[in-house]
Amino acid sequence: MIELFYYPTPNGRKISIMLEELHLDYQIKRIDITKNEQFSEYFSKISPLNKIPVIKYNEDVVIESGEILIYLAKKNNFKFYDPKYEKEINEWLMIQVSFVGPMLGQLHFFHKFNPGKSEFAENRFLDLGKKIYSYLDVRLSKFKFLACDDYTIADIATFPWLCRHEWHDIGIKNFKNLYRWYLNIAQRPAVIKGYDPENLGEKIPL
Ligand SMILES: N[C@@H](CCC(=O)N[C@@H](CS)C(=O)NCC(=O)O)C(=O)O
């Protein structure tokens, strides 16, 4: 049985969605980051940077969401990680972990949770958020999914960040290719299940 150290954030949901897509049995180990449980002695031994997600898969402990997605895909016959598109999948996965997640994460901190604390930071991350929506929209005007015309781990990594679109106030519906991609992924049964693996009644915002 796979153990998923998880909290319902975009990074956590990437992995619950992947596990659902692969039809794997897994057990959620909730690490409540709002209560600083990530800093407990127990979890510090598992996660060197005190971050979720982490998986335990037999003898392996795997950290970092991008690597966890690659690891799970490789263990499962390269599902959602077709070697034919490895370069493009890695590119868009790296774009997610190095840019989309960190910048939208800062937008959440300043625009959603601390408005009025720093006009400079709010404007900077709102501007970067708009750029991200625009870059993704252009890419999705050329391909059905981010890396190619197939659904891959690059989409699985990026989708949960766009699920916070109501927090961003950028207007996802104005980005026609991005919104088409978003609605397509949002209706996948594994995504709906993986978005709320604890059955808390959380729904993907459309
Ligand atoms: N680069 C990491 C980022 C993971 C991350 O930032 N996790 C957040 C939740 S979304 C976390 O655990 N934050 C707790 C903390 O930093 O104290 C990944 O992609 O897995």
Side-chain angles (χ1 to χ4, degrees), residues 54-153:
V54 176
I55 61 162
K56 273 192 185 175
Y57 192 116
N58 299 329
E59 298 310 305
D60 292 343
V61 174
V62 191
I63 62 165
E64 281 299 315
S65 61
E67 170 55 13
I68 298 171
L69 291 172
I70 292 172
Y71 173 95
L72 287 171
K74 285 185 175 170
K75 286 265 180 215
N76 289 274
N77 207 18
F78 288 82
K79 185 96 173 129
F80 311 120
Y81 192 42
D82 185 341
K84 200 163 62 177
Y85 300 112
E86 182 183 352
K87 174 187 157 297
E88 290 80 5
I89 297 171
N90 287 349
E91 285 170 349
W92 286 90
L93 183 62
M94 305 269 169
I95 289 168
Q96 189 287 305
V97 296
S98 67
F99 184 52
V100 174
M103 296 308 122
L104 292 181
Q106 294 304 313
L107 180 59
H108 299 169
F109 274 113
F110 287 102
H111 178 72
K112 165 78 180 164
F113 292 114
N114 293 285
K117 296 254 175 72
S118 166
E119 197 185 331
F120 174 81
E122 273 184 67
N123 288 340
R124 172 172 164 75
F125 293 112
L126 189 58
D127 188 45
L128 282 165
K130 286 178 186 167
K131 285 199 172 106
I132 287 169
Y133 276 47
S134 184
Y135 292 141
L136 296 180
D137 193 62
V138 169
R139 177 70 182 174
L140 291 162
S141 70
K142 298 178 184 140
F143 297 91
K144 199 164 160 210
F145 293 98
L146 285 171
C148 54
D149 285 326
D150 297 328
Y151 176 66
T152 73
I153 56 172

Side-chain angles (χ1 to χ4, degrees), residues 9 11 14 33 38-39 50-53 64-65:
T9 64
N11 286 319
K14 290 176 199 176
I33 60 172
Q38 71 273 33
F39 299 111
N50 302 96
K51 293 193 188 296
I52 63 97
E64 281 299 315
S65 61

Side-chain angles (χ1 to χ4, degrees), residues 17 96 146 151 154-164 181-187 191 195 204:
I17 288 173
Q96 189 287 305
L146 285 171
Y151 176 66
D155 302 294
I156 295 174
T158 308
F159 174 80
W161 285 96
L162 274 301
C163 290
R164 297 286 205 219
W181 168 88
Y182 182 78
L183 289 181
N184 183 356
I185 297 176
Q187 48 83 37
V191 172
Y195 185 82
I204 298 170

